[in-house]
Each structure stands twice: as structure tokens, then as C-alpha cells.
Amino acid sequence: MKRQWGLGLLGALGLGFIAVRVNGKLRPKPMPVQIEQFFLTNPLRVSYFGPRDALRLAGNLEGLRVLEIGTGVGVILEEIAKRVGEGGQAFGVDIQSDAIAKTEQRLSQHGLMSRTGLATANALEMPWTDGSMDRVIMVAMLGEIPSSHRVEALKEAGRVLNRDGKLVITEFWPDPHFIPLPKMVRLLRQAGFNIVDVYQKPLLYSISAKKEV
């Protein structure tokens, strides 16, 4: 009886996961802040995939201007702000104002707001000037944008990057909006980027790219 109950529970969880994945593909949209708060700060998740993996290909950020697109509740941006140091600046943008509020609260608690700039805006039209950033970071967010606008979003990321700047994208499965690596490479090339490096481990990858010159 217990075995049947366990199998039924696993089956229900499996069907639920499939439903979330399908919905994420058919109706791309930002993850609700409450769910994101739980997912991004969950100790099990952080132990396997945290800022170290997300920023592995970003290089030394000391003194740089770094933008995270889709900052969510600020878990990655907090680490970026620490890494840029007093001589650098960390910027975050998210389309959800409550996410930006959560990020501001997090950064204020750690005394990092003096080196941080936040904006509530669409990833397709960001409030920064051309070539103003040394790095642009995107963590599990491109799939939240409708597929017809993903290349446009990557081009907008390229617009704010300076000539030697680097775009770093990290994707983590089973995020419902996960984009497989081969597809991500195609999107980046369509947006005018050359691939620089790729880091992979089970269930996640990170890819860095630079604008074609």
C-alpha cells in the first residue's frame, strides 16, 4: 500500500513538473517573486548552483561596471556588488517592481547600495547608454521573454556593452524556461555575438560571448 502511495506521489509530482515546463514554454513570463524568493534562496539549490557558478565565466570584476538583467530578488547581484569593490558599480534591472524592492532590501542589509544602481524596466529597452557596461549577466531569464523577442533582448544587452565587454548567460535545469545550450548558441550568433567560452556541469551551463567587431 505504501509503495503504491509513493508511486502515485512521484507520478503526481512528475505530471506537475511537466505541466510547469509546458506552461513555461507556451507562456513565457517572469517567475513570481514569492516563488523566485524560495527557489533562489533554497539551501539545496544554492549548494549546487549559486553565484560561483553563475559568475564563473565573468572573470575578475574588480573596478568594473556590471549589469545583471533580470535581477529578481538580488541573490546574484549581491555577489556582483561585492566583487566589483568600491571602485566598481553593480547595476540590476527587472520588469517587476516588487523584485527590485526585494533586491534593494537585500543590498541595503549588506551595506552595498552605495555601489549599486537599480531600475524597473523591460529588458528590450534599458535605461543605460550605449557601451556603458563592462559585463552583462543573465541568469535563467532569457526564456522568460517570448521567443520572438529573445534575439532583440540579446541585441539590447550588446548595445550597453562596451567594445571589449562580455555577456555571460547561465541556464539551470529544471527551470521551466530553460533554453538548451545549442539553441542558446544559435540565438547569440543571430544577435551578433561570438562565443568565447562554455562551462558545463550536470543540469546547468554558462556561456560567455563578445560582440562581433
Side-chain angles (χ1 to χ4, degrees):
M1 189 70 177
K2 289 183 178 180
R3 183 171 180 272
Q4 290 178 338
W5 184 87
L7 290 174
L9 178 61
L10 288 174
L13 290 173
L15 289 173
F17 171 71
I18 291 171
V20 170
R21 288 280 296 161
V22 170
N23 185 65
K25 292 294 183 182
L26 296 178
R27 300 179 181 84
K29 61 181 180 180
M31 186 181 294
V33 170
Q34 293 81 1
I35 297 176
E36 188 168 329
Q37 177 80 23
F38 170 78
F39 178 72
L40 293 181
T41 59
N42 185 289
L44 290 176
R45 176 264 184 196
V46 172
S47 67
Y48 184 78
F49 168 48
R52 183 176 61 182
D53 286 304
L55 300 174
R56 183 179 292 267
L57 300 183
N60 182 10
L61 302 182
E62 184 75 27
L64 300 186
R65 292 170 60 88
V66 183
L67 167 65
E68 184 189 11
I69 303 176
T71 192
V73 295
V75 174
I76 303 299
L77 192 63
E78 178 189 341
E79 181 64 22
I80 292 172
K82 292 175 180 177
R83 293 192 185 193
V84 299
E86 294 183 0
Q89 288 183 290
F91 300 91
V93 62
D94 200 288
I95 198 170
Q96 300 183 92
S97 59
D98 48 350
I100 290 297
K102 289 282 188 182
T103 296
E104 184 173 2
Q105 182 181 36
R106 173 184 293 275
L107 296 175
S108 295
Q109 288 174 347
H110 293 86
L112 296 169
M113 280 302 297
S114 62
R115 64 182 73 166
T116 308
L118 301 173
T120 302
N122 194 306
L124 304 179
E125 191 174 356
M126 298 186 293
W128 289 284
T129 58
D130 296 2
S132 57
M133 300 293 167
D134 300 298
R135 299 283 188 277
V136 172
I137 310 296
M138 301 170 73
V139 181
M141 67 76 55
L142 188 64
E144 297 178 351
I145 297 173
S147 57
S148 58
H149 294 295
R150 288 172 189 168
V151 171
E152 183 182 353
L154 291 173
K155 287 181 178 179
E156 175 69 354
R159 179 188 68 80
V160 300
L161 273 171
N162 62 36
R163 183 182 179 88
D164 297 318
K166 186 188 297 183
L167 170 64
V168 178
I169 297 177
T170 302
E171 290 283 311
F172 176 66
W173 193 91
D175 181 272
H177 307 100
F178 177 82
I179 298 177
L181 179 57
K183 184 175 182 179
M184 185 65 76
V185 169
R186 290 196 298 271
L187 290 170
L188 284 165
R189 288 175 174 162
Q190 289 174 34
F193 283 90
N194 290 319
I195 309 305
V196 175
D197 200 2
V198 176
Y199 163 72
Q200 290 179 276
K201 74 176 189 179
L203 305 182
L204 74 86
Y205 71 83
S206 188
I207 183 169
S208 63
K210 287 188 174 184
K211 294 188 294 184
E212 293 179 352
V213 179

